[in-house]
Amino acid sequence: MGSVSEAPREITVGRYLFERIKQLGVKSVFGVPGDYELVLLDMAPEAGLTWRGSPNELNASYAADGYSRVNGYAAFVSTFGPGEISAYCGVSGQYTEYVPAVHIVGYPPSRAMKDHLIMHHSLGDGQFGMYHEMTKNITVATTVLDSPVNAAAEIDRVLNAMIHYSRPVYIGVAVDVGPQKISSAGLQTPLVTSPPPNDAKLQSAVVTRIVDAFRKVEKAVVIVDGCAIRNKVIRETEALIKAANVPYFTTFMSKGFTESLPNFGGVYGGAGSVAGVQEAIESADLVLWVGSYSSDFNTGEFSERVRPEVIIDFQRHFVQIGSRKYALSMREALCAVTKALEASSPKAMPTAVTWDANSWDHPEKPEQLTQDYLWPALGRYFQSGDLIIAETGTSSYGIPMANLKDKSITMYNQTVYGSIGFATGAAVGSFVAGREAGTMKRGILITGEGSLQLTVQAFSDLLRFELGATIFIINNDGYTVERLIHGEKAEYNKVPIWDYSKLGDMFGPLEVSKGKFKHYSARTSDDLEAILADKQFAETNPANGVTQVVEVFLGVLDAPVTITLITKAIEEFNRVK
């Protein structure tokens, strides 16, 4: 958090808001300008923030999502009405996947709202609260600043809720309120970025119960799930794994968590798992599940078979043992359990991984490129320092097949909300945040041609911000992944076939894209290997600003083995009973 020691002075409401956002470590603000927010936007650079204009509000909300996942927090701005509604799909994903971002909305003048005048972007009935009511379903706190009175307190209340719950919030600012002056005194009080300490007596009792369970069981495992990543307890979870000294696993949602420890057991997704993984987890009599998120995509369409009574689940604000929840914060509880395990020398249990956790990593090399060959090949191409975003659908199911052993990689997909097109917009925000922090060696986006067509305008940002992105486009001859569930060659499962080699020319800007865009095609395994082995291709990064696209051509019905394994479960779950 930034410095808050400056002497109080008078500043505008908008400046106060942006200063608070800057204190959270945010450096860039995304959005689309509109007349109700233009004056407000002038105040962002005054606070030292960089404005990152987006092609549309949907992409702005996705970019904020991606930025927050890498940076910790994010902000984006839209106008009242059409602008904010266009962004609500992105906000819904932020809410679902515990991504803290503040949606700032420029409102009509306070007088117009008070007098119920018919203003543009409204529904023509003199009412102005309808969009605000909508967003209450997908945020954890909201406010509309129609007066400078209590503006600072409201801003702080809403931002503190965003931090506490790790979910999006909404702040509306009337166009005539943003420039009004208030005291900056509130900026001297830090926002509440850490939860209060756990109740010591309760935590001690819970930790004792967990350690006692280790002494009694014959076989324990650890599962690292999506909410461990979202709640930023990666180091604490690694320490727990080392102290427990039992096999550990990731899920589809937590792919990217370290696989370098010797007791890594593989990726668990119910029926979409390697057989040895299923057996190891589902036969365990104690499962420490860090940040479970049992959604359909994350569990192989609810095909997981872990007995509820053996699960100890660590969540952001509670620890659940069996059916009982204890009000303990995740980070502190994990540290306490780790310390207790280290001190107690728990009963020796099987620690060796006797199955092939990466059995998907050894496919026979086919002439025609296939999904089952593609993903392990990409795993070999990935390097430590890569920031990888995988689109929902085929990509999110394929990426677990990539072996990340001995590689420190940041990776995510939108597993639960699953809004196709999300990844391209989110990649913009993630790559901006990664470059600002200096933590990203290469930015890699993997998407399907159907998903890309929803948010392809984000290419203009990838190019103009010179992010040096590498994009793999999965092309199944224009057919979407839904064809594998129903309607193999139905017209509704087909999208237009584009010439993706022209993306650089189309989305410019020309002064940037000229010489800064490259296109490759891979139709055979040899094609792919030649591209991935090319030194110039492999070394493309934010420093040289070259955006490169690899179009990967696959058979119409080709799919990763993970999808093949899960499809039957999906069909059964969707069947009319």
Side-chain angles (χ1 to χ4, degrees), residues 255 259 264 267 358 360-361 374-380 382 388 397-405 411 446:
K255 181 69 175 180
E259 299 178 8
F264 175 64
V267 181
N358 293 294
W360 292 321
D361 196 34
L374 168 66
W375 298 104
L378 290 180
R380 294 188 292 274
F382 296 151
I388 304 166
Y397 278 115
I399 204 70
M401 299 171 65
N403 184 350
L404 305 184
K405 187 174 178 60
M411 176 186 295
I446 309 172

Side-chain angles (χ1 to χ4, degrees), residues 348-491:
M349 283 183 281
T351 60
V353 176
T354 57
W355 56 93
D356 188 349
N358 293 294
S359 63
W360 292 321
D361 196 34
H362 323 295
E364 292 185 9
K365 185 175 182 180
E367 181 178 350
Q368 173 64 40
L369 190 57
T370 65
Q371 297 265 5
D372 288 348
Y373 188 82
L374 168 66
W375 298 104
L378 290 180
R380 294 188 292 274
Y381 162 75
F382 296 151
Q383 302 174 8
S384 292
D386 284 348
L387 173 53
I388 304 166
I389 295 92
E391 181 58 86
T392 191
T394 302
S395 299
S396 59
Y397 278 115
I399 204 70
M401 299 171 65
N403 184 350
L404 305 184
K405 187 174 178 60
D406 300 325
K407 296 176 182 179
S408 177
I409 286 170
T410 302
M411 176 186 295
Y412 69 82
N413 63 77
Q414 198 188 58
T415 310
V416 183
Y417 193 62
S419 178
I420 61 172
F422 159 83
T424 306
V428 173
S430 290
F431 297 164
V432 167
R435 186 173 65 181
E436 286 177 351
T439 57
M440 178 180 70
K441 182 176 181 180
R442 301 184 303 187
I444 299 170
L445 165 66
I446 309 172
T447 184
E449 81 276 37
S451 297
L452 176 61
Q453 290 185 17
L454 272 77
T455 50
V456 69
Q457 304 96 324
F459 258 84
S460 62
D461 292 338
L462 291 170
L463 287 161
R464 69 170 170 160
F465 298 152
E466 298 189 63
L467 297 173
T470 296
I471 300 101
F472 293 91
I473 302 176
I474 312 301
N475 192 330
N476 287 97
D477 196 27
Y479 280 92
T480 68
V481 68
E482 283 77 12
R483 74 197 180 283
L484 301 172
I485 301 171
H486 183 79
E488 283 188 358
K489 293 191 178 182
E491 188 61 29

Side-chain angles (χ1 to χ4, degrees), residues 153-175:
E154 278 294 279
I155 290 169
D156 290 355
R157 175 185 68 83
V158 170
L159 293 180
N160 276 324
M162 175 185 74
I163 296 165
H164 181 74
Y165 293 105
S166 190
R167 275 178 155 162
V169 294
Y170 175 103
I171 298 178
V173 185
V175 66

Side-chain angles (χ1 to χ4, degrees), residues 37 76 104 119 190 279 358 372 417 441 481 529 550 563:
E37 89 225 32
F76 71 103
I104 302 167
M119 302 291 291
E279 168 62 22
N358 293 294
D372 288 348
Y417 193 62
K441 182 176 181 180
V481 68
E529 294 292 357
V550 181
I563 290 185

Side-chain angles (χ1 to χ4, degrees), residues 32 48 64 70 89 97 122-123 139 167 172 197 220 262 273 311 331 359 361 510-511 527:
V32 177
V70 175
C89 181
E97 307 230 344
S122 73
L123 299 180
T139 56
R167 275 178 155 162
S273 314
I311 297 173
R331 177 173 281 105
S359 63
D361 196 34
L510 293 178
E511 69 274 12
D527 290 343

